[in-house]
Amino acid sequence: MMGHSHALSGVVGWMAVVPLVQGTEFFGLSFDLGPGEIIAGSLVCAGAALLPDLDHKSATVTKTYGKVTEVLGEMLGFLFGGHRMGTHSFFFAILMGVIVQLLALWSELAVQVFVFLLIGIALQGLGFGLDKNRIASGIINALATAGITLALFSAGVNYTWLGLAVAFGVILHFLGDMITKMGVPIFWPLWKKRIGQGKGFVTDGPVEQKVMTPLLTIGVIVGSLYLFDWPALLPEY
């Protein structure tokens, strides 16, 4: 799927699991998710849902932070066997989740930096910016990302679930790619066969444009209406 579809799937995916995990404990982590955590988790998942495509030089995520993500993408492409190989596997999802969770335990500053990076990737994937002016688009993205990150920090958002959200976002990515014709090797490196290859729809074809993207957009709207107590959140006049 294309970047915007992956990003939308991250938002919808997080909103879908919030009612399931709310008030529970998972791997020793307590899920007490208020409006701030729902918004933060949606954006984190949206950004993480683009990470596997770092192995592609033309992907949205690879272009987000210029040379930094381009070089990182080249490294990942080399280490994980090229596009839609190792980065589209459970191994990569677990690896990213563990790394981020360790960062969350190590440093609050590291958490905020990683959240900033993921939100920036999410906004880029969701289409915020100017396609014809990369400099202006970068400035808009950075300002919006900084504002959202600061607002979430000021609201006291608890990011103890960050690693799980990142792993979940990565899994949502390759689950989305499994329903396209290329398929993905989700059991790499143990088994490199692409699951779903030749059986799905064409990436950026009519099914994705006219069915998947509209359905995901509707999912975001429905999730927002269901999860947020709008009368309590909106100011009274």
Side-chain angles (χ1 to χ4, degrees), residues 10 39-49 114-115 118-119 122 159 161-162 165-166 169:
I39 294 171
S42 297
L43 291 172
V44 164
C45 257
F114 206 84
V115 168
L118 283 175
I119 291 177
Y159 288 108
W161 40 262
L162 188 62
V166 169

Side-chain angles (χ1 to χ4, degrees), residues 51 53-57 61-62 66-80 82 87:
L51 290 179
D53 276 348
L54 270 170
D55 62 9
H56 193 292
K57 63 181 181 180
V61 61
T62 310
K67 287 296 181 183
V68 175
T69 41
E70 287 175 8
V71 172
L72 179 59
E74 289 179 1
M75 292 172 58
L76 288 177
F78 175 76
L79 292 173
F80 288 92
T87 60

Side-chain angles (χ1 to χ4, degrees), residues 1-236:
M1 294 198 299
M2 297 296 289
H4 59 272
S5 298
H6 284 306
L8 284 171
S9 74
V11 177
V12 174
W14 180 259
M15 287 183 169
V17 300
V18 166
L20 302 178
V21 302
Q22 186 71 280
T24 65
E25 288 192 5
F26 189 67
F27 288 135
L29 302 177
S30 296
F31 287 87
D32 184 15
L33 307 174
E37 283 76 20
I38 295 173
I39 294 171
S42 297
L43 291 172
V44 164
C45 257
L50 292 168
L51 290 179
D53 276 348
L54 270 170
D55 62 9
H56 193 292
K57 63 181 181 180
S58 300
T60 300
V61 61
T62 310
K63 298 296 183 182
T64 300
Y65 295 114
K67 287 296 181 183
V68 175
T69 41
E70 287 175 8
V71 172
L72 179 59
E74 289 179 1
M75 292 172 58
L76 288 177
F78 175 76
L79 292 173
F80 288 92
H83 184 47
R84 283 203 185 184
M85 289 301 294
T87 60
H88 290 63
S89 67
F90 286 119
F91 173 78
F92 184 73
I94 294 170
L95 178 65
M96 290 302 301
V98 169
I99 290 174
V100 174
Q101 196 63 41
L102 290 176
L103 284 174
L105 295 173
W106 171 59
S107 168
E108 175 63 27
L109 177 60
V111 168
Q112 297 303 324
V113 170
F114 206 84
V115 168
F116 175 89
L117 295 174
L118 283 175
I119 291 177
I121 292 170
L123 294 183
Q124 194 72 20
L126 291 169
F128 291 87
L130 304 173
D131 292 337
K132 295 183 179 180
N133 192 325
R134 292 189 63 184
I135 296 177
S137 180
I139 294 173
I140 292 171
N141 183 290
L143 291 174
T145 302
I148 294 171
T149 305
L150 181 59
L152 294 172
F153 174 76
S154 301
V157 171
N158 183 351
Y159 288 108
T160 54
W161 40 262
L162 188 62
L164 288 174
V166 169
F168 181 52
V170 172
I171 290 172
L172 288 173
H173 178 104
F174 61 70
L175 289 179
D177 277 351
M178 278 176 60
I179 58 177
T180 65
K181 286 190 176 298
M182 284 187 67
V184 290
I186 59 175
F187 299 111
W188 185 97
L190 300 176
W191 192 37
K192 297 182 180 180
K193 179 179 173 59
R194 290 175 179 262
I195 308 299
Q197 187 172 16
K199 298 180 180 180
F201 55 82
V202 178
T203 299
D204 201 27
V207 174
E208 180 173 357
Q209 293 179 5
K210 298 179 180 180
V211 179
M212 295 302 299
T213 300
L215 284 177
L216 289 170
T217 303
I218 292 172
V220 173
I221 296 171
V222 172
S224 299
L225 294 174
Y226 176 76
L227 293 175
F228 295 108
D229 184 5
W230 291 104
L233 294 174
L234 295 175
E236 296 181 3

